[in-house]
Amino acid sequence: MLAAAALVLLGPSVAPTAAAPPSSAGGSVAGRTVRAIAPADQDAAFAKRRQDAETKGLIDADGRVTGSQRLGLRGWPHDDTGYAIRPRDLAFLGLTWQQVEWWRRYQAPLGTNPRQFKDMSSDLFKALCSACERPQDYDVRLQGSWAFFFSGRHKNFPTEAELAGQPAALERLRTWMGSTPPDERPARRPFETLYKLGALDEKGLPVGPSDGDFHIASDVMVAEARQKWDELKDAGKLSDEDIRKGFIHQKYHFVNRTAVREAFPKLEKWAVAWKEKLGRGVAPSLFPSSGPPDKTQVGNGVSTHFRDSDWIVKFSPAR
């Protein structure tokens, strides 16, 4: 259903051509000159913007908006280079000032309202531990653009060159950004950018709404999942892909999803139910209690290790 809706956004004249890979080359798109730009992490203008934003206290050393959940407030949304969300961005993304305030006050991640988020969180803890006599055994944190407003540095803001094969998405980008020079645009994608553009993924399929990512850290759950993994493996019920990736994913370090799904059917049921209610995927990932490892010095530096600025989902008694 979501894919069909995205196809309507694209319009009947758009052929399913996947987005081109990022490029720093310039050229002409539909008769207009596209200026060559460096990748965001190498762009001098972005580097200066980030330095200025850090100096002013708008973002922290990790590129996150300053503030804290403990105080119940954080600053206006900026990306990790200091780009501040503007009214035109909110209008294009279909976000209201009220939604931004809920986000700033940790009352609801983007794409939800406070009532939904409270109910979803309560239902999650019921799925994890029923009466939850020891809620401290379950550390739950939000990840992704619904929690941070912008995607990480591995998801740069799209350019005209990258959307050259997608006329409808390209025109929407131009309508949104107008004549704004590339180095005055966001460096990263705000929440649901590709979905709102009506863009296509690398397989030529419409990009859907952003998922809601939950990171669950619990040694108790990991032990149960390990037991289920061993049972499934002994019974020959794991796929070749499961075996190849292992119990702990080698790249992303979460516990095997098949083992988690089989060990915790209530968690799977919770995710499916809230996907239907929100109209977006809900993606729980399981880690040991120490959380994901710190990978800031590995590869592109994207890391979801525990930080003081994380959005922690609080346990509340069942409603």
Side-chain angles (χ1 to χ4, degrees):
M1 182 180 296
L2 292 174
L7 280 171
V8 172
L9 286 174
L10 286 169
S13 63
V14 180
T17 304
S23 170
S24 59
S28 176
V29 177
R32 304 185 191 183
T33 299
V34 178
R35 184 173 72 82
I37 59 172
D41 289 320
Q42 301 173 21
D43 190 284
F46 287 160
K48 183 180 185 305
R49 188 167 74 188
R50 173 169 185 154
Q51 184 178 34
D52 290 344
E54 283 193 50
T55 300
K56 294 175 182 177
L58 300 174
I59 59 175
D60 62 19
D62 290 318
R64 292 183 178 180
V65 173
T66 52
S68 74
Q69 187 175 5
R70 179 178 59 82
L71 296 175
L73 185 65
R74 56 181 159 185
W76 186 256
H78 291 70
D79 73 7
D80 70 328
T81 68
Y83 176 88
I85 282 291
R86 306 176 186 181
R88 69 168 185 192
D89 303 328
L90 295 180
F92 182 83
L93 297 169
L95 295 172
T96 66
W97 293 88
Q98 179 64 78
Q99 288 173 298
V100 177
E101 282 303 298
W102 288 335
W103 175 85
R104 291 185 64 202
R105 296 179 183 278
Y106 300 90
Q107 294 175 345
L110 300 177
T112 71
N113 62 48
R115 179 76 259 176
Q116 289 173 324
F117 183 52
K118 183 177 181 180
D119 290 348
M120 178 167 50
S121 301
S122 177
D123 287 351
L124 172 59
F125 276 96
K126 284 195 295 183
L128 295 180
C129 54
S130 188
C132 244
E133 295 178 356
R134 288 182 53 83
Q136 64 269 30
D137 288 339
Y138 307 87
D139 182 300
V140 182
R141 306 184 184 216
L142 301 185
Q143 291 291 335
S145 60
W146 76 331
F148 302 118
F149 213 103
F150 287 88
S151 297
R153 66 169 62 99
H154 59 306
K155 295 182 179 180
N156 290 336
F157 192 73
T159 66
E160 284 88 347
E162 291 166 10
L163 295 176
Q166 302 185 39
L170 177 60
E171 190 56 37
R172 289 191 182 96
L173 177 64
R174 287 172 172 159
T175 299
W176 177 9
M177 287 289 113
S179 60
T180 304
D183 55 11
E184 294 179 17
R185 299 179 182 184
R188 319 301 179 195
R189 302 175 199 164
F191 177 69
E192 296 199 324
T193 288
L194 296 185
Y195 175 57
K196 296 299 183 178
L197 286 172
L200 304 175
D201 64 18
E202 64 277 3
K203 296 180 180 179
L205 300 175
V207 175
S210 295
D211 287 348
D213 294 327
F214 287 81
H215 280 193
I216 303 167
S218 171
D219 286 342
V220 172
M221 292 181 67
V222 171
E224 291 185 47
R226 167 63 78 174
Q227 182 177 353
K228 179 59 67 173
W229 166 271
D230 291 339
E231 292 175 4
L232 294 171
K233 187 175 182 180
D234 291 343
K237 294 183 178 180
L238 292 174
S239 68
D240 291 341
E241 183 178 7
D242 284 326
I243 297 296
R244 178 174 56 81
K245 291 182 177 179
F247 179 67
I248 300 292
H249 195 285
Q250 295 181 6
K251 181 176 181 180
Y252 299 111
H253 303 280
F254 53 73
V255 174
N256 177 270
R257 297 195 188 282
T258 299
V260 172
R261 184 173 60 250
E262 294 297 322
F264 307 105
K266 290 182 180 179
L267 178 61
E268 176 71 10
K269 185 177 180 180
W270 167 84
V272 171
W274 277 99
K275 176 181 179 180
E276 293 176 355
K277 292 177 182 179
L278 298 178
R280 69 181 66 256
V282 175
S285 297
L286 177 62
F287 299 87
S289 291
S290 56
D294 185 343
K295 300 181 67 177
T296 52
Q297 303 302 315
V298 179
N300 59 14
V302 174
S303 181
T304 58
H305 67 282
F306 286 174
R307 294 175 170 90
D308 291 340
S309 55
D310 286 345
W311 188 335
I312 299 175
V313 180
K314 302 293 187 180
F315 168 74
S316 59
R319 62 185 189 280

